[in-house]
Amino acid sequence: MNRYLNVAMGQLGPIQRADDRASVVRRMCEMMREAKALGAHVIVYPELALTTFFPRWYIEDEHELDAFYETEMPNAETLPLFALARELGVGFYLGYAELAIEAGRKRRFNTAILVSGQGRIIAKYRKVHLPGHAEHEPWRRFQHLEKRYFEPGPGFGVTRAFGGVVGMALCNDRRWAETYRVLGLQGCEMTFIGYNTPVHNAPAPAHDDLSLFHNQLALQAGAYQNGMWVVGVAKAGVEEGVDSIGGSCIVAPSGEVVSRCLTKDDEVMVARCSLDWCAIYKRTTFDFDKHRQPHAYGLIVERKGETLAADGTPLAVTAPGH
Ligand code: CDV
Protein backbone atom coordinates (compact mmCIF):
# COMPACT_ATOMS: atom_id res chain seq x y z
CA MET A 1 0.00 0.00 0.00
CA ASN A 2 1.31 3.44 -0.90
CA ARG A 3 0.68 6.50 1.25
CA TYR A 4 0.01 9.04 -1.50
CA LEU A 5 0.13 12.73 -0.71
CA ASN A 6 -0.96 15.05 -3.50
CA VAL A 7 1.05 18.23 -3.11
CA ALA A 8 0.46 21.53 -4.88
CA MET A 9 3.01 24.26 -5.39
CA GLY A 10 1.31 27.62 -4.97
CA GLN A 11 3.99 29.74 -6.64
CA LEU A 12 3.30 33.46 -6.40
CA GLY A 13 4.19 36.09 -8.95
CA PRO A 14 5.42 39.45 -7.67
CA ILE A 15 3.73 41.37 -4.86
CA GLN A 16 4.26 45.11 -5.08
CA ARG A 17 4.39 47.37 -2.01
CA ALA A 18 1.00 48.86 -2.89
CA ASP A 19 -0.68 45.42 -2.97
CA ASP A 20 -2.58 44.91 0.26
CA ARG A 21 -2.78 41.59 2.09
CA ALA A 22 -6.43 41.13 1.16
CA SER A 23 -5.55 41.09 -2.54
CA VAL A 24 -2.70 38.62 -1.96
CA VAL A 25 -4.94 36.33 0.09
CA ARG A 26 -7.52 36.44 -2.73
CA ARG A 27 -4.81 35.23 -5.14
CA MET A 28 -3.86 32.46 -2.73
CA CYS A 29 -7.48 31.39 -2.27
CA GLU A 30 -7.90 31.16 -6.03
CA MET A 31 -4.80 28.96 -6.17
CA MET A 32 -6.08 26.80 -3.31
CA ARG A 33 -9.32 26.20 -5.24
CA GLU A 34 -7.32 25.26 -8.34
CA ALA A 35 -5.14 22.93 -6.26
CA LYS A 36 -8.25 21.25 -4.84
CA ALA A 37 -9.66 20.79 -8.35
CA LEU A 38 -6.39 19.10 -9.30
CA GLY A 39 -6.72 16.71 -6.35
CA ALA A 40 -4.26 18.32 -3.92
CA HIS A 41 -4.32 17.55 -0.19
CA VAL A 42 -1.92 20.39 0.69
CA ILE A 43 -0.62 23.54 -1.00
CA VAL A 44 2.77 25.14 -0.36
CA TYR A 45 3.09 28.94 -0.64
CA PRO A 46 6.36 30.91 -0.64
CA GLU A 47 8.42 32.60 2.06
CA LEU A 48 7.11 36.04 3.21
CA ALA A 49 4.07 35.37 1.06
CA LEU A 50 1.77 38.10 2.33
CA THR A 51 3.79 41.19 1.37
CA THR A 52 6.49 42.37 -0.94
CA PHE A 53 10.00 41.20 0.04
CA PHE A 54 10.70 44.17 2.34
CA PRO A 55 14.29 43.23 3.43
CA ARG A 56 15.34 44.80 0.12
CA TRP A 57 14.91 48.22 1.79
CA TYR A 58 16.73 49.89 4.66
CA ILE A 59 13.81 51.03 6.81
CA GLU A 60 14.62 53.25 9.76
CA ASP A 61 11.10 54.02 10.93
CA GLU A 62 9.92 51.26 13.28
CA HIS A 63 6.21 51.76 12.52
CA GLU A 64 6.90 51.54 8.81
CA LEU A 65 8.82 48.30 9.41
CA ASP A 66 6.19 46.83 11.75
CA ALA A 67 3.59 47.14 9.00
CA PHE A 68 5.21 44.21 7.17
CA TYR A 69 4.81 41.82 10.13
CA GLU A 70 1.89 39.76 11.44
CA THR A 71 1.29 40.02 15.19
CA GLU A 72 -1.18 37.13 15.23
CA MET A 73 -2.07 34.23 12.99
CA PRO A 74 -4.70 33.84 11.73
CA ASN A 75 -5.70 37.49 11.62
CA ALA A 76 -8.47 39.40 9.87
CA GLU A 77 -6.65 39.41 6.52
CA THR A 78 -5.56 35.75 6.49
CA LEU A 79 -8.75 34.31 7.96
CA PRO A 80 -10.28 33.65 4.49
CA LEU A 81 -7.37 31.32 3.72
CA PHE A 82 -7.95 29.33 6.92
CA ALA A 83 -11.71 29.21 6.29
CA LEU A 84 -11.19 28.00 2.72
CA ALA A 85 -8.73 25.33 3.88
CA ARG A 86 -11.44 24.04 6.24
CA GLU A 87 -14.13 24.21 3.54
CA LEU A 88 -12.01 22.37 0.94
CA GLY A 89 -10.14 20.08 3.32
CA VAL A 90 -6.82 21.32 1.91
CA GLY A 91 -3.88 21.99 4.23
CA PHE A 92 -1.25 24.64 3.57
CA TYR A 93 2.26 25.90 4.34
CA LEU A 94 2.58 29.67 4.55
CA GLY A 95 5.59 31.92 5.07
CA TYR A 96 5.22 35.35 6.72
CA ALA A 97 7.05 37.89 8.87
CA GLU A 98 6.19 37.33 12.53
CA LEU A 99 6.31 39.95 15.25
CA ALA A 100 5.98 38.36 18.68
CA ILE A 101 6.11 39.80 22.16
CA GLU A 102 7.97 37.26 24.28
CA ALA A 103 9.08 37.88 27.87
CA GLY A 104 8.10 41.52 27.34
CA ARG A 105 10.43 41.85 24.35
CA LYS A 106 9.60 42.54 20.72
CA ARG A 107 10.94 39.68 18.61
CA ARG A 108 10.96 39.33 14.83
CA PHE A 109 11.13 36.08 12.90
CA ASN A 110 10.91 34.88 9.32
CA THR A 111 8.29 32.21 9.97
CA ALA A 112 6.38 29.41 8.25
CA ILE A 113 3.32 27.60 9.55
CA LEU A 114 1.75 24.31 8.63
CA VAL A 115 -2.05 24.32 8.62
CA SER A 116 -4.18 21.16 8.55
CA GLY A 117 -7.10 20.48 6.23
CA GLN A 118 -9.28 21.43 9.20
CA GLY A 119 -7.79 24.92 9.11
CA ARG A 120 -5.77 24.51 12.33
CA ILE A 121 -2.12 25.53 12.77
CA ILE A 122 -0.28 22.30 13.54
CA ALA A 123 3.35 23.47 13.41
CA LYS A 124 5.43 26.62 13.29
CA TYR A 125 9.00 27.04 12.05
CA ARG A 126 11.25 30.09 12.46
CA LYS A 127 13.99 30.47 9.83
CA VAL A 128 17.44 29.42 11.02
CA HIS A 129 19.81 30.55 8.24
CA LEU A 130 19.32 34.28 7.77
CA PRO A 131 21.29 35.54 4.76
CA GLY A 132 22.40 39.04 3.85
CA HIS A 133 23.61 41.76 6.20
CA ALA A 134 22.56 43.77 9.25
CA GLU A 135 23.77 47.27 8.30
CA HIS A 136 22.84 49.51 5.41
CA GLU A 137 25.10 48.78 2.42
CA PRO A 138 24.39 51.58 -0.09
CA TRP A 139 26.76 50.09 -2.71
CA ARG A 140 24.19 47.35 -3.39
CA ARG A 141 21.51 47.79 -6.07
CA PHE A 142 19.09 46.64 -3.37
CA GLN A 143 19.51 45.55 0.22
CA HIS A 144 19.13 42.11 1.77
CA LEU A 145 18.60 42.99 5.43
CA GLU A 146 17.33 39.72 6.86
CA LYS A 147 20.07 39.80 9.51
CA ARG A 148 18.67 43.17 10.66
CA TYR A 149 14.97 42.40 10.51
CA PHE A 150 14.86 38.85 11.92
CA GLU A 151 16.34 36.74 14.69
CA PRO A 152 17.33 33.16 13.86
CA GLY A 153 14.93 30.45 14.99
CA PRO A 154 15.85 27.64 17.38
CA GLY A 155 16.07 24.70 14.96
CA PHE A 156 14.42 22.14 12.73
CA GLY A 157 11.65 19.80 13.83
CA VAL A 158 9.25 17.40 12.14
CA THR A 159 5.50 17.03 12.46
CA ARG A 160 3.28 14.00 11.87
CA ALA A 161 0.85 15.36 9.30
CA PHE A 162 -0.88 14.43 6.05
CA GLY A 163 -0.21 10.74 6.71
CA GLY A 164 3.57 11.17 6.97
CA VAL A 165 6.46 12.97 8.63
CA VAL A 166 6.75 16.57 7.43
CA GLY A 167 9.49 19.16 7.90
CA MET A 168 9.69 22.88 7.16
CA ALA A 169 12.51 25.20 6.14
CA LEU A 170 12.73 28.64 4.52
CA CYS A 171 14.69 29.89 1.53
CA ASN A 172 18.39 30.16 2.41
CA ASP A 173 18.03 27.05 4.63
CA ARG A 174 17.77 25.03 1.41
CA ARG A 175 21.41 25.72 0.54
CA TRP A 176 22.67 24.07 3.72
CA ALA A 177 23.16 20.30 3.94
CA GLU A 178 22.52 20.50 7.68
CA THR A 179 18.91 21.56 7.14
CA TYR A 180 17.95 18.39 5.34
CA ARG A 181 20.15 16.15 7.46
CA VAL A 182 18.74 17.37 10.77
CA LEU A 183 15.24 16.78 9.37
CA GLY A 184 16.32 13.47 7.80
CA LEU A 185 17.68 12.26 11.14
CA GLN A 186 14.16 12.79 12.53
CA GLY A 187 12.66 10.59 9.81
CA CYS A 188 11.38 13.41 7.63
CA GLU A 189 9.57 12.20 4.50
CA MET A 190 8.69 15.56 2.95
CA THR A 191 10.13 19.04 3.47
CA PHE A 192 8.32 22.21 2.43
CA ILE A 193 10.52 25.22 1.56
CA GLY A 194 9.26 28.63 0.44
CA TYR A 195 11.77 31.06 -1.04
CA ASN A 196 12.46 34.57 -2.44
CA THR A 197 15.68 34.54 -4.44
CA PRO A 198 16.74 37.59 -6.46
CA VAL A 199 18.52 36.70 -9.68
CA HIS A 200 21.21 39.24 -8.78
CA ASN A 201 23.60 38.18 -6.06
CA ALA A 202 25.29 41.43 -5.01
CA PRO A 203 28.37 39.98 -3.27
CA ALA A 204 28.89 37.43 -6.09
CA PRO A 205 27.41 38.81 -9.33
CA ALA A 206 29.26 36.16 -11.34
CA HIS A 207 26.74 33.71 -9.87
CA ASP A 208 23.69 35.50 -11.30
CA ASP A 209 23.57 33.18 -14.31
CA LEU A 210 23.66 30.17 -11.98
CA SER A 211 20.87 31.21 -9.62
CA LEU A 212 18.25 28.80 -11.01
CA PHE A 213 20.78 26.00 -11.27
CA HIS A 214 21.92 26.44 -7.65
CA ASN A 215 18.31 26.44 -6.47
CA GLN A 216 17.54 23.13 -8.12
CA LEU A 217 20.91 21.61 -7.26
CA ALA A 218 20.35 22.25 -3.54
CA LEU A 219 16.78 20.92 -3.55
CA GLN A 220 17.73 17.78 -5.48
CA ALA A 221 20.78 17.00 -3.35
CA GLY A 222 18.83 17.50 -0.11
CA ALA A 223 16.08 15.16 -1.26
CA TYR A 224 18.34 12.37 -2.49
CA GLN A 225 20.86 12.42 0.35
CA ASN A 226 18.10 12.09 2.92
CA GLY A 227 15.58 9.92 1.09
CA MET A 228 12.82 12.52 1.33
CA TRP A 229 10.54 14.57 -0.89
CA VAL A 230 11.42 18.25 -1.14
CA VAL A 231 8.95 20.88 -2.29
CA GLY A 232 10.51 24.26 -3.08
CA VAL A 233 8.15 27.15 -3.89
CA ALA A 234 9.13 30.61 -5.13
CA LYS A 235 7.82 34.11 -5.03
CA ALA A 236 8.96 34.96 -8.52
CA GLY A 237 9.18 37.75 -11.06
CA VAL A 238 9.92 41.45 -10.91
CA GLU A 239 8.93 42.92 -7.57
CA GLU A 240 9.60 46.63 -7.05
CA GLY A 241 12.23 46.49 -9.80
CA VAL A 242 14.00 43.38 -8.42
CA ASP A 243 13.83 40.22 -10.51
CA SER A 244 13.52 36.95 -8.57
CA ILE A 245 13.85 33.40 -9.83
CA GLY A 246 10.92 31.03 -10.24
CA GLY A 247 11.80 27.39 -10.74
CA SER A 248 9.49 26.02 -8.03
CA CYS A 249 9.75 22.26 -8.10
CA ILE A 250 8.88 19.00 -6.39
CA VAL A 251 11.79 16.60 -5.99
CA ALA A 252 11.37 12.89 -5.29
CA PRO A 253 13.56 10.94 -2.84
CA SER A 254 15.47 9.73 -5.91
CA GLY A 255 16.56 13.33 -6.49
CA GLU A 256 14.47 13.53 -9.65
CA VAL A 257 12.29 16.56 -10.35
CA VAL A 258 8.73 15.31 -10.83
CA SER A 259 7.02 18.68 -11.33
CA ARG A 260 8.23 22.21 -12.03
CA CYS A 261 6.54 25.59 -12.46
CA LEU A 262 7.20 27.15 -15.84
CA THR A 263 6.28 30.82 -15.34
CA LYS A 264 7.27 33.59 -12.95
CA ASP A 265 3.63 34.30 -12.11
CA ASP A 266 0.96 32.83 -9.87
CA GLU A 267 1.04 29.17 -10.88
CA VAL A 268 -0.25 25.92 -9.42
CA MET A 269 1.34 22.56 -10.19
CA VAL A 270 0.45 19.31 -8.46
CA ALA A 271 2.33 16.03 -8.02
CA ARG A 272 1.13 12.74 -6.58
CA CYS A 273 3.84 11.78 -4.12
CA SER A 274 4.15 8.38 -2.50
CA LEU A 275 5.63 8.87 0.95
CA ASP A 276 6.57 5.20 0.86
CA TRP A 277 9.12 5.91 -1.86
CA CYS A 278 11.33 7.33 0.90
CA ALA A 279 11.82 3.98 2.56
CA ILE A 280 13.94 2.36 -0.15
CA TYR A 281 16.50 5.17 0.21
CA LYS A 282 16.27 5.34 3.98
CA ARG A 283 16.76 1.55 4.22
CA THR A 284 19.59 1.17 1.69
CA THR A 285 22.09 3.83 0.54
CA PHE A 286 21.04 6.32 3.22
CA ASP A 287 20.36 3.97 6.13
CA PHE A 288 21.76 6.42 8.67
CA ASP A 289 22.04 3.90 11.54
CA LYS A 290 23.94 1.45 9.40
CA HIS A 291 26.22 3.65 7.31
CA ARG A 292 26.76 7.06 8.90
CA GLN A 293 30.04 7.49 10.78
CA PRO A 294 29.23 10.19 13.34
CA HIS A 295 32.49 9.52 15.22
CA ALA A 296 34.37 10.74 12.12
CA TYR A 297 32.44 13.97 11.76
CA GLY A 298 33.99 15.81 14.71
CA LEU A 299 35.29 19.25 13.83
CA ILE A 300 39.04 19.38 13.20
CA VAL A 301 40.65 22.79 13.73
CA GLU A 302 44.07 23.77 12.39
CA ARG A 303 45.85 26.35 14.51
CA LYS A 304 49.51 27.46 14.20
CA GLY A 305 50.56 24.28 12.43
CA GLU A 306 48.92 22.09 15.04
CA THR A 307 45.87 20.03 14.26
CA LEU A 308 43.34 20.01 17.08
CA ALA A 309 40.14 18.08 17.59
CA ALA A 310 37.06 20.13 18.41
CA ASP A 311 37.72 19.67 22.13
CA GLY A 312 41.24 21.09 21.72
CA THR A 313 43.10 17.77 21.94
CA PRO A 314 46.17 17.69 19.62
CA LEU A 315 45.70 15.09 16.89
CA ALA A 316 48.37 12.93 15.28
CA VAL A 317 47.80 13.44 11.57
CA THR A 318 48.67 10.63 9.21
CA ALA A 319 50.29 11.88 6.02
CA PRO A 320 48.62 10.80 2.80
CA GLY A 321 49.89 7.42 1.65
CA HIS A 322 50.81 6.27 5.19
N1 CDV B 1 15.27 34.91 1.16
C1 CDV B 1 16.48 34.32 1.08
O1 CDV B 1 16.88 33.63 1.99
N2 CDV B 1 17.21 34.56 -0.04
C2 CDV B 1 18.55 34.09 -0.24
C3 CDV B 1 19.31 35.04 -1.13
C4 CDV B 1 19.79 36.21 -0.41
C5 CDV B 1 20.50 34.42 -1.76
C6 CDV B 1 18.60 32.69 -0.82
O2 CDV B 1 19.39 31.89 -0.32
O3 CDV B 1 17.92 32.41 -1.81
Side-chain angles (χ1 to χ4, degrees):
M1 193 199 65
N2 268 312
R3 288 171 298 140
Y4 282 109
L5 179 60
N6 297 350
V7 182
M9 294 177 279
Q11 178 179 284
L12 282 168
I15 299 173
Q16 309 305 339
R17 191 166 186 166
D19 298 340
D20 60 10
R21 286 172 175 75
S23 70
V24 178
V25 168
R26 272 198 299 278
R27 285 162 60 183
M28 289 183 177
C29 285
E30 203 175 302
M31 289 200 284
M32 190 184 280
R33 286 189 189 282
E34 190 181 339
K36 173 69 181 180
L38 293 168
H41 303 122
V42 60
I43 180 166
V44 180
Y45 297 114
E47 173 192 46
L48 299 177
L50 298 170
T51 65
T52 200
F53 190 79
F54 64 92
R56 74 170 64 91
W57 294 304
Y58 179 61
I59 301 169
E60 289 177 279
D61 182 279
E62 195 171 338
H63 293 294
E64 191 185 337
L65 181 64
D66 285 356
F68 290 104
Y69 292 76
E70 315 304 314
T71 52
E72 52 180 355
M73 192 57 71
N75 54 35
E77 280 106 344
T78 56
L79 212 49
L81 202 56
F82 286 76
L84 188 63
R86 200 164 41 246
E87 182 193 322
L88 302 178
V90 173
F92 65 92
Y93 159 109
L94 172 73
Y96 63 96
E98 178 192 7
L99 200 164
I101 306 294
E102 289 173 3
R105 195 160 72 81
K106 213 174 194 178
R107 304 188 67 186
R108 299 173 189 275
F109 299 98
N110 189 338
T111 295
I113 47 168
L114 195 60
V115 177
S116 71
Q118 289 78 46
R120 270 187 303 106
I121 296 175
I122 49 178
K124 185 193 267 194
Y125 165 72
R126 289 167 164 173
K127 186 173 179 179
V128 168
H129 300 101
L130 298 172
H133 47 110
E135 301 306 325
H136 189 208
E137 296 187 2
W139 61 269
R140 292 173 182 254
R141 271 192 237 158
F142 51 87
Q143 304 294 296
H144 196 106
L145 285 158
E146 285 198 59
K147 286 197 194 296
R148 183 177 193 87
Y149 297 150
F150 303 115
E151 290 179 49
F156 299 96
V158 295
T159 308
R160 298 210 150 266
F162 308 111
V165 183
V166 176
M168 291 190 280
L170 278 159
C171 198
N172 192 259
D173 289 326
R174 77 195 187 288
R175 303 187 193 276
W176 298 90
E178 292 88 341
T179 298
Y180 307 95
R181 182 50 48 90
V182 170
L183 290 169
L185 284 165
Q186 297 172 73
C188 187
E189 294 176 308
M190 184 175 280
T191 300
F192 298 145
I193 311 177
Y195 60 92
N196 283 264
T197 300
V199 173
H200 177 56
N201 181 342
H207 299 175
D208 292 4
D209 288 342
L210 297 171
S211 53
L212 259 183
F213 167 69
H214 286 155
N215 173 57
Q216 203 166 302
L217 176 70
L219 298 174
Q220 287 186 267
Y224 169 64
Q225 292 174 347
N226 296 280
M228 64 167 77
W229 289 88
V230 172
V231 183
V233 179
K235 175 135 67 65
V238 182
E239 213 179 68
E240 298 293 339
V242 176
D243 190 15
S244 288
I245 64 165
S248 303
C249 59
I250 299 178
V251 187
S254 60
E256 293 165 289
V257 174
V258 298
S259 182
R260 191 173 185 277
C261 289
L262 301 176
T263 71
K264 288 173 93 172
D265 284 318
D266 292 4
E267 185 178 342
V268 176
M269 291 287 262
V270 175
R272 184 167 183 252
C273 308
S274 169
L275 297 174
D276 291 313
W277 289 357
C278 301
I280 187 68
Y281 291 91
K282 290 185 190 294
R283 278 202 231 108
T284 61
T285 312
F286 297 110
D287 182 329
F288 292 161
D289 291 340
K290 212 185 227 167
H291 304 306
R292 280 181 83 245
Q293 300 294 336
H295 70 277
Y297 305 152
L299 192 65
I300 294 178
V301 186
E302 295 255 15
R303 209 179 301 147
K304 289 185 188 151
E306 249 187 325
T307 301
L308 310 171
D311 64 0
T313 321
L315 287 177
V317 181
T318 313
H322 289 255

